[in-house]
Amino acid sequence: MLLPGFTILQRLCASARDRAERRVWRLLARQLSAEQSRRLERLLVVGDQDTVSELEALRRPPRQPTITGVVFALDRLGKVHGQSACGAGHQSRRYRSSAPKWSRVPRLVCT
């Protein structure tokens, strides 16, 4: 009995993995609403003033341990949740429930 070589097996496995991965992505994409699809597409757009897409910016972790870095991180968190942390919008129930604990923290003014 002649068995396939390592390279053949490796190619077969890679091909099966690629087919399975494409199938999973197709199944996930079918579950999205039109609005969700548009929002995901917008993450890939690089703005006129930007050098990277919003997805790339969200992928990178915040690095500045300064007040500006904290404001940037809060704004980034707001974008992930669909609103700017410095802009108007409703606060999440979790934030409101923890408000007394954070009442000692000075309010950050965004410019």
Side-chain angles (χ1 to χ4, degrees):
M1 178 189 223
L2 185 63
L3 297 175
F6 177 76
T7 328
I8 302 279
L9 288 174
Q10 189 176 26
R11 260 188 266 141
L12 285 171
C13 289
S15 174
R17 186 182 60 237
D18 289 343
R19 282 194 313 271
E21 192 172 285
R22 281 193 302 271
R23 182 172 178 250
V24 166
W25 283 115
R26 271 195 314 272
L27 290 171
L28 286 173
R30 282 188 209 145
Q31 302 298 318
L32 295 175
S33 68
E35 174 60 23
Q36 289 170 325
S37 293
R38 280 192 295 275
R39 288 179 72 186
L40 285 173
E41 288 288 334
R42 278 185 280 177
L43 287 176
L44 301 175
V45 175
V46 178
D48 295 337
Q49 304 295 323
D50 301 327
T51 57
V52 296
S53 70
E54 191 171 346
L55 179 65
E56 180 63 21
L58 290 172
R59 189 185 70 77
R60 294 179 182 169
R63 296 187 181 176
Q64 296 175 334
T66 62
I67 197 65
T68 306
V70 171
V71 170
F72 176 77
L74 288 173
D75 192 44
R76 173 186 156 114
L77 180 64
K79 286 180 182 179
V80 169
H81 287 289
Q83 66 182 18
S84 173
C86 293
H90 69 281
Q91 296 174 343
S92 71
R93 187 170 11 130
R94 181 175 180 182
Y95 176 78
R96 281 194 308 262
S97 67
S98 65
K101 179 173 73 173
W102 293 101
S103 60
R104 296 184 308 270
V105 177
R107 184 170 175 259
L108 298 175
V109 178
C110 299
T111 58

